[in-house]
Amino acid sequence: GDSVTQTEGLVTVTEGLPVMLNCTYQTAYSDVAFFWYVQYLNEAPKLLLRSSTDNKRTEHQGFHATLHKSSSSFHLQKSSVQLSDSALYYCALRSNMGYKLTFGTGTSLLVDP
Amino acid sequence: EAAVTQSPRNKVAVTGGKVTLSCNQTNNHNNMYWYRQDTGHGLRLIHYSYGAGSTEKGDIPDGYKASRPSQENFSLILELATPSQTSVYFCASGEQGSGNTLYFGEGSRLIVV
C-alpha cells in the first residue's frame, strides 16, 4: 500500500531563517497527488499546498514544494520562517484510487524568536 | 468555505461504555472519513464512506463501527470503549479523485478512563 515518511518529529528554527521539512513516499500508482497540510494548535488540519506534476514548484503562503518522482520526495521549504509558522505539518498522498489520504507521522515546526 | 462539524468536541467515557461521535458536512461531498490522531502515528484512517448507506474499513478499524445514514452525516461508534481508544478523532469530507483535498472538522477529544 501507499506510505509516507516524515523523518523529523520536531524541527526548531530561529525566526527569519530557512527551513525544510522532509517527506518521502512509496506508492504503486502512477496517478497520485501530494499534499502538505498544516495544523495549528487546537485546530483542524487544513490544506497548505498540493501538487501532482513532476518537477514543478508549487507555492502558497510563502511555503513551496517540488515533487520529485525520481527521488520519491515532496519536501516543504520556506526561505524565512515566522513565529506564526509554528504548527504541525503533515505530508500526504492520494492515489488514483482516490478514496483516502495517506498521511505521514507529522513534523512539528517550532519557530523561536 | 467547506463546513464539517463534529460533536461532541470533548468526551470522557468509562471503559466498556458505548461512545458515538457524530459528524455533519454541508459540502455535499460523497466521501466521508474518520481519522484518529496520535503523537508518533499521525493521522490514521479508521472508516470511510462513499455515500449514504455505505461504510468501508480503513487501516485501523478494529474496535470501531461506522454509520452513514445520509449524505450529510457520518458517525463513529465505539461499542465497548477501551483506554487505548483515548485519542483525538477527526472527521473529514471530500470528493473522489486523487487531486481533491479533504476538509476536516475541528476534532473530538475522547478520553476513556
Side-chain angles (χ1 to χ4, degrees), chain B residues 64-109:
Chain B
Y64 303 92
K65 293 183 180 179
S67 174
R68 182 88 181 270
S70 65
Q71 178 82 340
E72 298 79 19
N73 295 296
F74 190 38
S75 297
L76 184 68
I77 303 153
L78 291 66
E79 295 278 4
L80 294 169
T82 68
S84 65
Q85 295 175 312
T86 293
S87 186
V88 180
Y89 293 85
F90 285 96
C91 176
S93 74
E95 289 295 355
Q96 191 75 4
S98 60
N100 293 313
T101 189
L102 297 189
Y103 297 89
F104 285 85
E106 296 290 326
S108 295
R109 184 176 299 274

Side-chain angles (χ1 to χ4, degrees), chain A residues 21-104:
Chain A
L21 306 185
N22 292 314
C23 173
T24 57
Y25 66 89
Q26 288 187 318
T27 181
Y29 299 102
S30 58
D31 180 10
V32 186
F34 297 86
F35 304 79
W36 277 99
Y37 279 77
V38 59
Q39 185 181 16
Y40 299 103
L41 190 63
N42 295 324
E43 295 186 10
K46 60 181 181 180
L47 180 67
L48 178 60
L49 51 80
R50 68 181 133 184
S51 178
S52 57
T53 305
D54 198 12
N55 298 314
K56 180 181 178 180
R57 176 173 165 142
T58 300
E59 299 190 36
H60 188 61
Q61 294 182 350
F63 286 90
H64 63 92
T66 302
L67 176 60
H68 292 295
K69 291 186 178 181
S70 61
S71 58
S72 299
S73 67
F74 189 54
H75 305 320
L76 182 68
Q77 300 183 65
K78 191 172 187 181
S79 59
S80 176
V81 296
Q82 302 173 335
L83 293 174
S84 58
D85 293 327
S86 294
L88 179 60
Y89 292 81
Y90 284 108
C91 183
L93 70 83
R94 192 175 187 184
S95 70
N96 61 344
M97 296 303 290
Y99 72 88
K100 71 171 185 177
L101 274 175
T102 298
F103 287 88

Side-chain angles (χ1 to χ4, degrees), chain B residues 1-32:
Chain B
E1 180 75 18
V4 180
T5 56
Q6 297 180 225
S7 63
R9 295 292 312 279
N10 294 281
K11 172 78 175 177
V12 178
V14 297
T15 298
K18 182 177 180 178
V19 176
T20 300
L21 304 179
S22 300
C23 178
N24 175 275
Q25 56 109 351
T26 59
N27 310 315
N28 199 32
H29 289 155
N30 288 325
N31 296 357
M32 295 187 73

